[in-house]
């Protein structure tokens, strides 16, 4: 890797770390706006409340976005640390060994659970409630992973988030979920 | 049907071990068309009650790992009325046994 490419990779990863902090902050903020656990009667009662359903849509999107950014940042971190990145499974295996993710299986389960979500159940309030309660229960796994990844980049690559605007909130959220 | 006997057995083993042996398993969609190639495996599963989200996710992962291709699950718990889509899948599908 030439010096210019290396520097570009580092800058890109610093921006991804920033995006992780920002996405963590916003997913957490969205969660705070809802009364947990959600129930079918509660959702049914709010079925015409656009603000409620916009919050739920945002939670779906932010959960997926945080996991996707984490995946992208893990790939770039592995690349900069000289680890194999031919397949994402290799990347996950390495981060499992470094204890950044708990296990490959859990990572895949998070992804599958989030994708199973909104298929045919738009009007089945019991299913909608179950889906969001599951995301709420799984979000701390993403927060903890995010915290460990950012700390790993600081320690081993001496790389910090590009702007760090959300650093203090991010630390509070991730440390309370570690 | 384009699934082999071995693939059908793998599906039934995974479904029965996770959702119970009484769960009906119906194949529908493109895998029933011998003229087509590749594609997802679409399954309608009918357990007595709705399994939790994480259990459904684990089953999907197990099936995709065992079969080496994407699997779409439609779950119709028998304690609830079938949606029109579930009724269609049942009418057009073939039960695996």
């Amino acid at each position: 890797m030439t010096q210019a490419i290396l520097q570009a990779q580092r800058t890109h990863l610093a921006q991804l770390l920033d995006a992780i902090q920002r996405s963590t902050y916003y997913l957490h903020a969205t969660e705070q706006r809802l009364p947990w656990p959600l129930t079918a009667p509660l959702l049914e009662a709010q079925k015409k409340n656009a603000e409620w359903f916009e919050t739920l849509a945002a939670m779906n999107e932010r959960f997926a976005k945080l996991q996707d950014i984490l995946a992208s940042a893990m790939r770039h971190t592995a690349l900069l640390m000289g680890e194999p990145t031919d397949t994402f499974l290799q990347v996950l295996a390495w981060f499992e060994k470094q204890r950044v993710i708990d296990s490959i299986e859990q990572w895949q389960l998070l992804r599958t659970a989030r994708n199973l979500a909104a298929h045919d159940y738009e009007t089945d309030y019991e299913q909608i409630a179950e889906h969001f309660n599951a995301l709420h229960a799984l979000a701390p796994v993403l927060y903890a992973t995010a915290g460990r990844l950012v700390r790993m980049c600081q320690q081993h690559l001496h790389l910090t988030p590009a702007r760090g605007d959300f650093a203090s909130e991010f630390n509070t959220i991730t440390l309370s979920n570690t | 049907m384009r699934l082999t006997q071995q693939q059908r057995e793998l599906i039934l083993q995974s479904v029965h071990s996770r959702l119970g042996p009484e769960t009906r398993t119906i194949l529908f969609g493109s895998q029933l068309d011998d003229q087509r190639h590749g594609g997802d495996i679409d399954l309608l599963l009918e357990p007595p009650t709705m399994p939790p989200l994480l259990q459904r996710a684990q089953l999907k992962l197990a099936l995709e790992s065992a079969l080496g291709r994407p699997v779409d699950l439609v779950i119709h718990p028998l304690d609830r009325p079938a949606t029109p889509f579930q009724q269609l899948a049942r009418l057009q599908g073939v039960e695996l046994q």
Side-chain angles (χ1 to χ4, degrees):
Chain A
M1 211 182 290
T2 68
Q3 196 58 35
I5 294 174
L6 179 66
Q7 191 49 49
Q9 286 282 5
R10 287 179 63 85
T11 305
H12 180 56
L13 181 55
Q15 286 173 349
L16 286 174
L17 296 180
D18 226 14
I20 287 172
Q21 291 195 327
R22 184 186 166 85
S23 297
T24 298
Y25 171 81
Y26 277 110
L27 175 59
H28 189 258
T30 302
E31 284 194 276
Q32 302 302 304
R33 293 172 64 189
L34 294 161
W36 302 103
L38 300 179
T39 61
L42 191 59
L43 290 175
E44 176 109 45
Q46 299 291 337
K47 66 185 167 196
K48 293 188 179 173
N49 186 333
E51 202 176 312
W52 260 67
F53 280 84
E54 278 161 12
T55 303
L56 292 175
M59 182 161 171
N60 242 349
E61 189 190 319
R62 287 170 180 171
F63 188 97
K65 189 172 274 184
L66 177 55
Q67 193 180 19
D68 289 345
I69 295 170
L70 281 170
S72 184
M74 281 196 281
R75 188 184 282 280
H76 281 278
T77 304
L79 192 73
L80 281 170
M81 293 185 80
E83 297 298 327
T85 56
D86 300 333
T87 67
F88 191 59
L89 207 55
Q90 282 179 320
V91 174
L92 284 178
W94 189 70
F95 279 100
E96 182 185 45
K97 217 159 95 179
Q98 304 303 314
R99 302 187 178 210
V100 170
I101 61 169
D102 294 327
S103 71
I104 295 176
E105 291 73 24
Q106 188 192 49
W107 181 266
Q108 290 175 325
L109 193 62
L110 281 174
R111 194 172 172 80
T112 306
R114 114 199 178 192
N115 288 342
L116 269 185
H119 268 308
D120 332 306
Y121 305 124
E122 288 82 1
T123 55
D124 184 334
Y125 293 107
E126 204 173 310
Q127 289 302 304
I128 296 173
E130 191 208 7
H131 166 65
F132 284 102
N133 288 333
L135 290 193
H136 178 59
L138 294 170
V141 178
L142 289 186
Y143 299 149
T145 302
R148 291 191 290 259
L149 180 62
V150 170
R151 284 193 292 279
M152 180 194 207
C153 289
Q154 286 167 347
Q155 284 165 11
H156 297 287
L157 294 171
H158 307 293
L159 204 59
T160 53
R163 293 169 57 98
D165 293 343
F166 295 84
S168 70
E169 294 90 346
F170 177 80
N171 288 337
T172 306
I173 295 165
T174 56
L175 289 174
S176 67
N177 282 286
T178 301
Chain B
M1 180 187 305
R2 291 189 282 131
L3 292 184
T4 64
Q5 180 64 32
Q6 192 192 10
Q7 287 173 317
R8 294 199 292 268
E9 283 169 10
L10 274 172
I11 291 170
L12 287 175
Q13 275 169 17
S14 290
V15 171
H16 290 165
S17 68
R18 286 176 169 77
L19 304 189
E22 67 279 28
T23 301
R24 288 182 69 205
T25 303
I26 294 156
L27 178 73
F28 68 100
S30 64
Q31 292 297 324
L32 291 175
D33 184 347
D34 293 335
Q35 306 305 311
R36 294 171 74 174
H37 299 278
D40 296 358
I41 296 174
D42 298 307
L43 295 172
L44 170 68
L45 305 179
E46 297 192 315
T49 57
M50 180 58 95
L53 181 72
L54 287 185
Q55 199 177 345
R56 303 199 301 271
Q58 280 164 342
L59 174 60
K60 179 175 159 67
L61 280 173
L63 287 169
E64 289 180 340
S65 167
L67 299 164
R69 66 172 67 183
V71 174
D72 271 343
L73 298 181
V74 175
I75 314 271
H76 167 224
L78 292 175
D79 62 350
R80 296 183 199 177
T83 65
F85 183 76
Q86 291 166 348
Q87 288 173 22
L88 270 176
R90 195 199 281 154
L91 288 168
Q92 295 174 338
V94 172
E95 182 170 359
L96 302 184
Q97 287 172 328

